[in-house]
Amino acid sequence: MKISAKIQLYSSLFLSIMLVLLSVIVLCAFLWISVEREEDVLEDQASLIGENIVDSDLTAGDAGLLEAYTPDDAMVRIFGTDGSLIKSFADDEDLQGLAVPSISKKGYDFTKVDGEYVLTYRYPYPDEGKKLGMIEITQPQDTLLDHLSTLALVLGGSSLFVVLLSVLAGKWLAKLILKPISIMSGTMLEIEKSGEFKRIPLAGRSKDELQVMGESFNKMIGRLERNYDQQQQFLSDASHELKTPITVIESYSSLLKRWGMKDAAIQEEAVEAIHHEALRMKQLTEHLLQAASQSDPTVDTEEEIELISFCDQIAQTFRRTGHREIKLQSEVKEIQAMTIPGKLEQVLVILLDNAIKYSDSGIEIMIKREMDDIFISVKDQGPGISPEHLPHVFERFYRVDSSRARKTGGNGLGLSIARSLVESFHGKLGIESEVGEGTVVTIILSHRILI
C-alpha cells in the first residue's frame, strides 16, 4: 500500500472513531440533561400535589380535581397505605392502559411498559407525621426519544459528511506532504538510470522537515558530484603521471637490453633515469595511500616534546638530503608542548618537501609563542600562489599549475594530507602567499604549551 493511501486510510479512520465517540458523548449528555429536567418537573408536581392532597381533599373528590396538577400528556395516581389505587387521572387516555407497576418506594423509574418508554416519579404524602400513601406521576418519553433520534441522525449525517471531506482533504494533504518525497524518489531513479547527478528543485522557502531533507539531499548529491569529479580528475592526472615514468622506464630498459651492457655511459644514464622515475612513482603511490588512510583515522597518544629541537632535527635531515639551507628562527630557546610527534613530523616533512620543490633559494622555519598558542611557519622564496588559487590549495588533487606540478612531481595531495593531520590533533593550518614573494604555511597549536 502506498504511503498516500495509508495517510488517507489512517486519517479517515482516526477521524471516524473520534466523531463516533463525540457523537456518543453528545447523545449521552443530551439524554442525561433531558431526563434530569423531566425529573425536576415531575418532582415539582408531586410536591405540589402532596402539599394540597389533604386540604383540597384530592383523594375523596372527583378525579377531575387532579387535572390541574397533572403535567401535559402525563398520568397521576394516588395509592393508599395498603397499596390500593385510590384515585387516578390521565391527560392522555392511552396511558390508562399502561400496566405501570406500583412500588411503595420514593424515587425515579425509567422503564419500558407495553412498548413505550415512561418516566415515573413516586412521592409519599404524609399528614401530621403519618404516612397516608404514595403519589405517582408517570410521563411518556416519546418526545424525548424523538428528539434523541433526530439528534443522532443529525450527528450521524454530519459525521459522514466530515469523513467524506476528510478523505478528500487527506488525499490533498498526502499529495502536498509527499510531493518532495515523490520528487526525491523520481530524482533517485533518474540518477540510477542516467548515471548523472541531479538535484531536487526546491521552490518553497519553508524550514519544515521535508524542506530540510530536500536540502540535505541536494548537499549530498553536490558532495558526491565533487568527489566524483575529483576522482575522475585524479584518475586522469594519475594516468598521466604514471604514463610518463612507465614510458621512460620501458624506453631505458629497452635501451639497456640492446646496447647498455656494452656501453657504460648508456648504462649509467639508463640506470639513473630508471631510478629517478621509480622514485617518482613511489612518491605518488605513497601519497595516494596516505590520502586514503585519512578516511580511517586512528587514535594516537599525545606526548610531551621540546618543539625547537624537534623541528631542528627534521630540518637537519632535509639539509643533508636536499642540499638546501634551512634556517630555524625562534624567540625562545625551549618550548615544551603536548602533541602527537608522528603526525607533526609528517606535516613538517610535507611542508619542507613542498618548499624545496617550488623554490631554489633558502628556506626558513619560524617558531613563536603567543599566550597559549604556538606558531610553526615554513617560508620559501618561490614563485608564490595567485589569489584565485589560494582558497583551493588544501583540496585533494588540486594543483595550481599542472605543467609545473609535472616537473616537480606534485600530485595535489600534500597540503590536503597536512591539513587533515593537523586537524586530527586539534590544530589549524594556514597559508599566506604573494606572487613573486614566496609562500608561508603556518601550523597553529592551541593550548598545548607546558612550559
Side-chain angles (χ1 to χ4, degrees):
M1 183 183 293
K2 293 183 178 180
I3 296 180
S4 58
K6 289 182 179 180
I7 292 177
Q8 288 181 258
L9 176 62
Y10 293 146
S11 61
S12 300
L13 182 60
F14 176 76
L15 182 60
S16 301
I17 294 174
M18 295 301 295
L19 289 174
V20 169
L21 291 176
L22 180 63
S23 300
V24 171
I25 292 173
V26 170
L27 290 174
C28 291
F30 174 79
L31 179 61
W32 180 75
I33 294 173
S34 299
V35 170
E36 191 175 57
R37 185 181 61 185
E38 293 294 330
E39 289 175 350
D40 291 340
V41 172
L42 296 183
E43 184 178 3
D44 291 342
Q45 289 302 112
S47 299
L48 184 61
I49 294 172
E51 292 173 359
N52 296 279
I53 192 171
V54 177
D55 297 338
S56 302
D57 198 16
L58 296 178
T59 58
D62 185 18
L65 294 175
L66 293 174
E67 181 178 2
Y69 301 95
T70 304
D72 294 339
D73 299 327
M75 177 179 67
V76 176
R77 297 192 300 182
I78 301 176
F79 295 89
T81 55
D82 58 354
S84 60
L85 181 62
I86 299 176
K87 193 77 66 178
S88 69
F89 178 82
D91 190 52
D92 187 354
E93 295 181 356
D94 294 337
L95 290 177
Q96 295 285 1
L98 295 179
V100 179
S102 177
I103 302 175
S104 58
K105 185 178 180 180
K106 182 181 179 180
Y108 298 96
D109 187 19
F110 191 85
T111 58
K112 186 176 183 181
V113 180
D114 296 339
E116 293 187 27
Y117 286 95
V118 296
L119 178 64
T120 301
Y121 177 68
R122 298 176 182 87
Y123 177 78
Y125 63 94
D127 182 32
E128 297 180 358
K130 297 180 181 180
K131 180 181 178 182
L132 300 179
M134 183 74 69
I135 300 171
E136 182 184 88
I137 302 179
T138 301
Q139 189 171 35
Q141 299 300 313
D142 295 340
T143 303
L144 173 62
L145 296 177
D146 289 342
H147 292 167
L148 190 66
S149 299
T150 302
L151 179 60
L153 185 62
V154 171
L155 290 174
S158 302
S159 300
L160 181 61
F161 178 71
V162 171
V163 169
L164 292 177
L165 283 180
S166 72
V167 172
L168 299 177
K171 184 177 182 180
W172 173 79
L173 183 63
K175 184 178 180 181
L176 178 65
I177 293 176
L178 298 176
K179 184 178 180 181
I181 299 178
S182 300
I183 296 175
M184 186 181 299
S185 61
T187 304
M188 290 178 179
L189 291 175
E190 291 180 7
I191 292 174
E192 183 181 1
K193 292 179 181 178
S194 63
E196 299 178 358
F197 294 99
K198 296 184 179 181
R199 291 166 177 78
I200 300 175
L202 300 174
R205 295 184 178 180
S206 61
K207 289 299 179 182
D208 55 20
E209 290 79 1
L210 293 175
Q211 180 77 10
V212 172
M213 182 173 64
E215 293 175 354
S216 301
F217 178 84
N218 287 344
K219 290 179 181 178
M220 179 189 68
I221 290 297
R223 185 173 181 178
L224 290 174
E225 187 174 14
R226 287 193 300 273
N227 290 340
Y228 178 79
D229 291 340
Q230 289 178 348
Q231 183 184 27
Q232 293 300 108
Q233 180 65 39
F234 166 71
L235 291 175
S236 175
D237 293 343
S239 63
H240 186 277
E241 295 290 342
L242 291 173
K243 182 179 180 180
T244 301
I246 289 174
T247 302
V248 172
I249 291 173
E250 181 183 11
S251 300
Y252 274 101
S253 61
S254 299
L255 184 62
L256 279 175
K257 187 176 180 180
R258 292 180 183 178
W259 301 290
M261 299 302 180
K262 299 178 182 179
D263 191 331
I266 294 178
Q267 184 179 11
E268 183 178 357
E269 179 185 353
V271 170
E272 182 65 28
I274 291 173
H275 178 70
H276 180 267
E277 297 302 324
L279 289 178
R280 284 186 60 194
M281 292 178 63
K282 179 183 177 182
Q283 185 182 41
L284 176 61
T285 305
E286 287 177 350
H287 278 186
L288 291 176
L289 293 175
Q290 196 171 21
S293 68
Q294 300 305 312
S295 61
D296 185 20
T298 56
V299 178
D300 295 287
T301 304
E302 291 186 344
E303 298 178 16
E304 179 183 348
I305 63 171
E306 200 287 301
L307 282 176
I308 307 298
S309 59
F310 181 83
C311 294
D312 187 61
Q313 185 178 357
I314 298 172
Q316 184 62 27
T317 302
F318 276 88
R319 293 187 188 104
R320 295 195 189 100
T321 59
H323 306 291
R324 188 75 60 85
E325 181 184 3
I326 301 177
K327 296 181 180 180
L328 190 145
Q329 300 179 2
S330 176
E331 299 173 352
V332 293
K333 294 183 178 180
E334 288 188 4
I335 298 178
Q336 298 291 336
M338 293 296 293
T339 187
I340 303 174
K343 290 186 175 181
L344 181 59
E345 181 179 0
Q346 281 182 272
V347 176
L348 289 172
V349 167
I350 291 173
L351 300 185
L352 290 172
D353 184 59
N354 282 348
I356 290 174
K357 284 179 182 177
Y358 299 118
S359 68
D360 297 325
S361 56
I363 299 169
E364 295 181 26
I365 299 177
M366 298 172 290
I367 303 174
K368 66 177 180 177
R369 170 181 174 178
E370 292 183 3
M371 300 298 289
D372 292 336
D373 295 336
I374 304 171
F375 298 84
I376 306 173
S377 301
V378 176
K379 181 180 180 181
D380 64 50
Q381 303 296 327
I385 302 172
S386 57
E388 65 269 18
H389 293 297
L390 203 58
H392 306 286
V393 294
F394 292 115
E395 296 177 6
R396 284 189 175 187
F397 314 123
Y398 186 85
R399 300 193 299 191
V400 175
D401 187 341
S402 298
S403 60
R404 184 181 71 171
R406 283 194 291 270
K407 292 178 182 178
T408 59
N411 46 55
L413 288 172
L415 288 178
S416 175
I417 295 172
R419 184 180 64 174
S420 299
L421 289 169
V422 172
E423 290 177 350
S424 69
F425 50 80
H426 311 291
K428 295 180 182 178
L429 192 65
I431 185 169
E432 297 177 0
S433 183
E434 292 184 16
V435 176
E437 298 294 331
T439 302
V440 179
V441 184
T442 303
I443 305 169
I444 305 172
L445 304 177
S446 300
H447 307 288
R448 297 288 169 175
I449 300 176
L450 296 178
I451 298 177

